[in-house]
Amino acid sequence: MYQSKYLNRVFSNVKKRYVNEPEFISAIEEFFDSMDFFVDSDPRIEKEAILERLVVPERVISFRVAWVDDQNKIQVNTGYRVQYNSAIGPYKGGIRFDSSVNLSILKFLAFEQTFKNSLTGLPMGGGKGGSDFNPRGRSDNEIMRFCQAYMTELYRHIGPNTDVPAGDFGVGFREIGYMYGMYKKLVNDFTGTFTGKGIPYGGSLGRKEATGYGLIYFVRETLKTFFSTTLDGKRIIISGSGKVGKHAAVKAHELGAKIVAMSDINGFVYDENGLDIKLVDELSEARGEYSLEYIKHYPQAKFVDDPKKMWAMPCDIALPCATQNEIYLEHAKSLKEGGCYLLIEGANMPSTVEAIRYFSENGILFAPGKAANAGGVAVSGLEMTQNATHLPWSYEEVDKKLEIIMKDIFKKCHDTANKFNQPRNLALGANIAGFLKVYEAMVAQGVI
Ligand code: GLU
């Protein structure tokens, strides 16, 4: 129950209408938790039906993706693109390939992306796409045929000023290359319609590391502002075998932190003296997984074959970087018992609403992914600028800009939280600061 009648009305409609979309409902619920501090103080939000409009994506495209596997068998998947909100710029957001992909997950991601992109200060609307195709175990040729089949439909809905996809879970340089190649062939136009591209054909230096590095720049600001300290000597645990966690570990290690535990799909490794991050980086290069190999090199490290058990390890800072809903209430409690005082999300919505409420009631400072992991899409925005001006920037230039953007995002969240007399509530800061820009733009553009 919210204080605001307006929020209760909109939320109960959302729950009724999207009963089969639990992830989407959670994303709205988390967002409305923050709006409750604010929405009634500005009657224009209700009058303009801003929230009723924001809980419905502008457009959802769903299509069949038929392709032929290496055994000459015809395979059929479902492809999607959720074009959520274009109030402040072209739709922008990644593409996810995973067997779990469905409309609920993509709508939640596209909703979050709308506010995340707004927080970067760059002109990008929100979108997300993907397919229930699982790339694990597929040959390179199968991946290529799938990406090409996916693009034969998607190409007509995207463009450099319309919708600019990028990578996400299951989509990296290889997949973007195949998708972009097919897109270019079909439209006969070399434009920056994708970001996260390979460097030789318009990609940005620093994009690969951006989400993980940006996350650590955000952590550094949080430590400085709230705890008057630095990363030096802090014990950190990081989940996820993707690009985000790995690059976060590299940057945090560089800044003097001790990464005591990291998890992948097989389990987690723990070493109270700090893991060998160079080795994790090397081992994870091929498939993202490293834990089973790691303990062969460091038999004194501890290996547990259940990644979820990592949250019970003692630490100062936890950085969940795997996927949505990896931290439930029980994990939040274990984190507290292990001494964790700061949890910052590298993935999109890894903490459940119950876990987030527990953090705030139990003195664990929390920052949401839509602020802390915005570095990836921010550098995507910088890639768009480089493509539009036909001028590539150096790595140092991109990294410097990323650092400035992350500091600015932290400041927006912190200032907004203070404005509402909730100084430790960075989720509120992120949600309201991200919302305000989208809201102003929607009002200015009329009822469309
Ligand atoms: N998938 C990433 C995210 O969740 C990056 C999106 C992009 O670069 O467009 O923000």
Side-chain angles (χ1 to χ4, degrees):
M1 277 295 269
Y2 300 105
Q3 304 267 328
S4 157
K5 283 204 189 102
Y6 173 44
L7 281 183
N8 282 325
R9 180 161 49 78
V10 179
F11 189 57
S12 79
N13 275 338
V14 166
K15 278 202 295 196
K16 250 187 269 153
R17 271 174 75 180
Y18 307 115
V19 75
N20 296 320
E21 300 183 2
E23 293 85 0
F24 182 57
I25 292 175
S26 295
I28 306 268
E29 188 177 10
E30 189 273 332
F31 178 74
F32 279 11
D33 268 4
S34 304
M35 293 305 288
D36 210 12
F37 289 86
F38 165 60
V39 76
D40 286 346
S41 65
D42 182 354
R44 194 176 64 168
I45 299 175
E46 182 169 359
K47 190 167 151 274
E48 296 276 354
I50 294 296
L51 296 183
E52 290 89 329
R53 288 198 253 165
L54 270 177
V55 297
V56 183
E58 288 176 11
R59 188 179 298 109
V60 175
I61 301 145
S62 162
F63 49 95
R64 184 180 67 207
V65 186
W67 57 287
V68 181
D69 71 15
D70 284 350
Q71 280 70 49
N72 277 330
K73 231 178 125 231
I74 296 169
Q75 298 283 343
V76 180
N77 290 97
T78 306
Y80 304 91
R81 185 74 183 162
V82 178
Q83 297 184 328
Y84 208 97
N85 191 292
S86 62
I88 63 170
Y91 307 108
K92 178 84 197 86
I95 289 182
R96 179 178 285 198
F97 291 163
D98 189 63
S99 43
S100 69
V101 163
N102 57 36
L103 203 50
S104 171
I105 290 184
L106 294 180
K107 276 174 67 183
F108 119 64
L109 289 165
F111 179 79
E112 294 272 297
Q113 195 84 41
T114 300
F115 304 106
K116 181 194 305 196
N117 294 0
S118 163
L119 282 169
T120 66
L122 300 171
M124 300 184 289
K128 202 90 189 186
S131 173
D132 56 2
F133 168 70
N134 183 1
R136 276 176 81 86
R138 288 293 180 190
S139 72
D140 200 51
N141 274 330
E142 289 179 316
I143 302 268
M144 180 172 77
R145 284 196 295 274
F146 177 80
C147 289
Q148 292 178 338
Y150 179 80
M151 280 321 287
T152 55
E153 174 58 35
L154 191 68
Y155 85 96
R156 70 189 85 240
H157 305 289
I158 61 178
N161 297 309
T162 308
D163 184 350
V164 183
D168 197 78
F169 220 87
V171 177
F173 278 126
R174 176 179 60 167
E175 292 73 16
I176 290 189
Y178 292 148
M179 285 192 275
Y180 184 67
M182 193 53 159
Y183 170 79
K184 183 168 66 69
K185 184 179 165 77
L186 291 170
V187 299
N188 193 27
D189 206 10
F190 196 107
T191 63
T193 297
F194 271 82
T195 62
K197 300 185 289 300
I199 304 300
Y201 59 97
S204 174
L205 291 166
R207 174 63 187 88
K208 173 163 65 96
E209 300 87 355
T211 316
Y213 283 17
L215 174 68
I216 298 304
Y217 295 147
F218 192 97
V219 173
R220 192 170 59 178
E221 289 306 297
T222 313
L223 285 172
K224 188 164 96 191
T225 309
F226 284 92
F227 303 96
S228 309
T229 184
T230 65
L231 275 152
D232 198 32
K234 298 293 174 303
R235 297 166 306 158
I236 303 188
I237 61 178
I238 301 178
S239 66
S241 38
K243 301 166 280 251
V244 184
K246 176 172 123 168
H247 289 117
V250 170
K251 185 49 98 182
H253 178 68
E254 192 186 304
L255 296 175
K258 207 156 68 167
I259 317 301
V260 290
M262 286 182 79
S263 66
D264 64 13
I265 192 163
N266 302 309
F268 74 88
V269 278
Y270 173 80
D271 187 336
E272 61 177 355
N273 298 314
L275 299 171
D276 178 346
I277 297 305
K278 203 162 168 280
L279 181 65
V280 170
D281 193 11
E282 270 163 37
L283 295 176
S284 61
E285 202 44 57
R287 283 188 309 135
E289 296 163 26
Y290 50 82
S291 63
L292 294 171
E293 276 300 309
Y294 188 93
I295 38 156
K296 290 187 193 153
H297 289 77
Y298 282 95
Q300 75 276 24
K302 177 172 164 162
F303 171 75
V304 177
D305 64 0
D306 179 356
K308 294 238 169 221
K309 295 217 166 100
M310 185 180 73
W311 306 118
M313 294 297 109
C315 70
D316 300 304
I317 302 169
L319 304 177
C321 297
T323 186
Q324 69 272 1
N325 295 340
E326 47 168 324
I327 300 193
Y328 287 85
L329 184 58
E330 62 190 278
H331 307 118
K333 289 182 179 165
S334 313
L335 281 163
K336 176 79 193 162
E337 277 163 35
C340 173
Y341 56 82
L342 179 61
L343 186 137
I344 300 201
E345 296 183 334
N348 292 313
M349 218 173 71
S351 319
T352 59
V353 176
E354 293 73 28
I356 296 173
R357 288 179 186 151
Y358 179 88
F359 298 145
S360 84
E361 286 155 14
N362 290 276
I364 297 182
L365 189 69
F366 166 80
K370 62 168 81 77
N373 76 25
V377 75
V379 173
S380 278
L382 302 181
E383 183 173 332
M384 288 164 74
T385 307
Q386 294 170 72
N387 293 162
T389 57
H390 305 284
L391 273 179
W393 299 343
S394 69
Y395 171 84
E396 290 70 26
E397 201 170 346
V398 174
D399 190 50
K400 196 77 229 139
K401 288 192 161 70
L402 169 66
E403 209 179 327
I404 294 170
I405 292 172
M406 294 314 296
K407 278 186 182 166
D408 184 57
I409 294 176
F410 174 80
K411 189 170 167 355
K412 276 183 198 151
C413 297
H414 186 228
D415 288 353
T416 310
N418 273 334
K419 203 168 136 201
F420 287 88
N421 285 326
Q422 301 285 317
R424 286 174 62 87
N425 195 343
L426 294 173
L428 173 144
N431 284 329
I432 296 183
F435 167 80
L436 284 173
K437 186 173 169 191
V438 176
Y439 161 47
E440 288 300 328
M442 284 174 74
V443 172
Q445 292 167 21
V447 181
I448 48 170

